[in-house]
Amino acid sequence: MAIPITVLDCDLLLYGRGHRTLDRFKLDDVTDEYLMSMYGFPRQFIYYLVELLGANLSRPTQRSRAISPETQVLAALGFYTSGSFQTRMGDAIGISQASMSRCVANVTEALVERASQFIRFPADEASIQALKDEFYGLAGMPGVMGVVDCIHVAIKAPNAEDLSYVNRKGLHSLNCLMVCDIRGTLMTVETNWPGSLQDCAVLQQSSLSSQFEAGMHKDSWLLDLPEFHWKDWLTVMSRTRIYSTFSSVNQGDSSFFLRTWLMTPLHIPETPAEYRYNMAHSATHSVIEKTFRTLCSRFRCLDGSKGALQYSPEKSSHIILACCVLHNISLEHGMDVWSSPMTGPMEQPPEEEYEHMESLDLEADRIRQELMLTHFS
């Protein structure tokens, strides 16, 4: 005997049949101030996203009251920038919390599909050289294509047995590898690494490392965080008043090792040239610290202030990547990367302390010595 199954429409239960509140909210009916306060972005930017993602968000549905692309974009932006499925957010655009969740999923996947369009290294020689010139103009560090770092984003525990996502603070997280340019534009984003992996292990296994090891970006390098204990840098930075956010963002980060394409500071600088090199390195690398803070300030779903992302690691990874895509799109549209209030990301877990070991990459050490001799002596 067949058993009839009733499918409940949350919006139908909430508003009743024929109550088409989904069509009531119009962007033209509200002020720019309202849009910025509720959704974090101005009107024209939202219109651009609706046009960009419209084809993905207008997929055929058997529901008689399909949610418009405009409403889906607003719902997703509301979640990204507030970090919660608050009832007032759904009420503002006339949808239920369950529909909010569907909208976030749809917009997230649409943005992820376009990640390679907006997150990439420059391909032509002129753009690469312009990138190097901009970094050189900042602090005198030559040959720099970008600055690299990892940031942890808290997620809910996948299950009781899986400890691979437990970081060194005992919290579940994803360890995300990112590279940015001098403006804060993200050129590489890898958001899928479990929180138990140290930064050096993430980099070693990353596609970023494979690209540089294969020689795709010759005569160029990235800058990473110091490879020694954070307290050493706090002493140096307290004297120079540079890089003051370091202690709160990456305490204890042993980070990466010297490579021919990855320049690190010296553990114990001794000569004036070595000190000048370290100072230029620090001033240049601080760009990504600001980028992380801006990213987490604009997209509060990432900063842990409303709790961990309540999704599986895969879905959480996609949400982080979607926010990074939006970050880059906002830069393309002239939105200042440093304009958001700097509230900062979740407290980052310390890396395991160990005794400093000199790099075994002799060629990388030779390049660094030549760099200091040529540009900082």
Side-chain angles (χ1 to χ4, degrees):
M1 175 180 176
I3 301 176
I5 298 176
T6 301
V7 178
L8 299 180
D9 187 318
C10 297
D11 295 320
L12 186 63
L13 290 175
L14 185 62
Y15 298 108
R17 186 175 300 278
H19 190 112
R20 294 186 174 274
T21 53
L22 301 187
D23 299 326
R24 284 189 167 185
F25 186 92
K26 300 294 183 182
L27 285 176
D28 292 335
D29 294 338
V30 296
T31 64
D32 291 327
E33 290 76 13
Y34 176 83
L35 291 174
M36 288 296 297
S37 65
M38 288 291 289
Y39 307 107
F41 293 94
R43 188 186 315 275
Q44 292 305 316
F45 183 84
I46 296 173
Y47 277 136
Y48 172 80
L49 290 180
V50 172
E51 181 179 355
L52 177 69
L53 309 178
N56 296 72
L57 305 180
S58 301
R59 291 167 178 165
T61 175
Q62 295 181 354
R63 300 179 66 203
S64 61
R65 302 172 67 251
I67 302 175
S68 68
E70 182 177 287
T71 301
Q72 292 184 62
V73 168
L74 289 172
L77 291 179
F79 167 70
Y80 297 147
T81 57
S82 71
S84 64
F85 292 114
Q86 296 178 358
T87 302
R88 70 178 183 88
M89 189 66 69
D91 289 347
I93 51 180
I95 63 175
S96 66
Q97 182 172 325
S99 292
M100 278 280 296
S101 181
R102 289 195 296 271
C103 291
V104 170
N106 293 341
V107 174
T108 296
E109 292 310 307
L111 288 168
V112 168
E113 286 183 19
R114 289 161 176 78
S116 60
Q117 177 182 347
F118 294 101
I119 301 175
R120 62 190 184 277
F121 275 101
D124 60 282
E125 288 298 324
S127 298
I128 293 174
Q129 187 58 50
L131 194 62
K132 294 179 181 179
D133 292 343
E134 289 177 341
F135 272 116
Y136 185 79
L138 177 64
M141 182 71 75
V144 178
M145 279 193 67
V147 286
V148 57
D149 198 358
C150 289
I151 184 172
H152 286 257
V153 176
I155 63 172
K156 74 172 183 179
N159 56 64
E161 291 75 27
D162 189 354
L163 299 180
S164 63
Y165 292 92
V166 179
N167 62 39
R168 296 188 179 279
K169 290 187 69 68
L171 304 174
H172 291 81
S173 67
L174 290 168
N175 195 2
C176 307
L177 178 73
M178 302 185 191
V179 177
C180 77
D181 66 13
I182 196 170
R183 297 172 57 240
T185 302
L186 297 169
M187 300 183 293
T188 290
V189 174
E190 298 187 27
T191 61
N192 59 303
W193 300 104
S196 63
L197 282 183
Q198 294 186 45
D199 292 358
C200 55
V202 169
L203 181 65
Q204 184 177 4
Q205 300 175 47
S206 68
S207 60
L208 174 70
S209 177
S210 299
Q211 291 177 19
F212 276 87
E213 291 289 351
M216 291 182 62
H217 304 288
K218 294 181 179 180
D219 302 318
S220 305
W221 43 73
L222 304 176
L223 300 187
D224 80 325
L225 278 174
E227 59 187 354
F228 49 89
H229 195 272
W230 66 279
K231 290 181 180 178
D232 298 334
W233 264 112
L234 285 183
T235 301
V236 175
M237 295 307 130
S238 65
R239 295 172 182 170
T240 59
R241 299 182 182 179
I242 294 178
Y243 211 14
S244 60
T245 63
F246 178 80
S247 62
S248 62
V249 179
N250 284 284
Q251 291 186 6
D253 192 350
S254 56
S255 198
F256 314 124
F257 292 107
L258 181 67
R259 296 289 181 265
T260 56
W261 50 270
L262 187 68
M263 292 292 104
T264 65
L266 287 97
H267 176 48
I268 303 177
E270 296 179 347
T271 68
E274 291 174 346
Y275 274 101
R276 283 192 288 268
Y277 166 83
N278 271 17
M279 297 305 299
H281 185 290
S282 175
T284 304
H285 191 277
S286 65
V287 171
I288 201 168
E289 301 295 341
K290 295 178 183 178
T291 301
F292 283 166
R293 289 183 175 275
T294 299
L295 192 66
C296 292
S297 296
R298 176 167 285 159
F299 302 105
R300 301 304 295 273
C301 65
L302 306 181
D303 74 349
S305 63
K306 298 294 179 66
L309 287 172
Q310 297 300 304
Y311 297 92
S312 67
E314 181 181 7
K315 289 184 177 179
S316 296
S317 171
H318 285 185
I319 288 173
I320 301 167
L321 182 55
C323 290
C324 292
V325 173
L326 285 173
H327 170 84
N328 276 10
I329 296 176
S330 68
L331 284 177
E332 286 191 6
H333 283 250
M335 298 179 66
D336 186 1
V337 69
W338 316 129
S339 62
S340 301
M342 298 295 187
T343 57
M346 64 171 283
E347 185 179 354
Q348 298 297 295
E351 294 284 339
E352 183 178 11
E353 296 182 27
Y354 61 91
E355 291 297 322
H356 172 75
M357 296 183 296
E358 289 296 332
S359 170
L360 298 179
D361 192 330
L362 298 180
E363 176 61 16
D365 185 62
R366 183 195 65 78
I367 292 174
R368 185 170 64 177
Q369 292 296 329
E370 183 177 321
L371 178 64
M372 287 185 291
L373 179 64
T374 304
H375 294 275
F376 297 99
S377 294

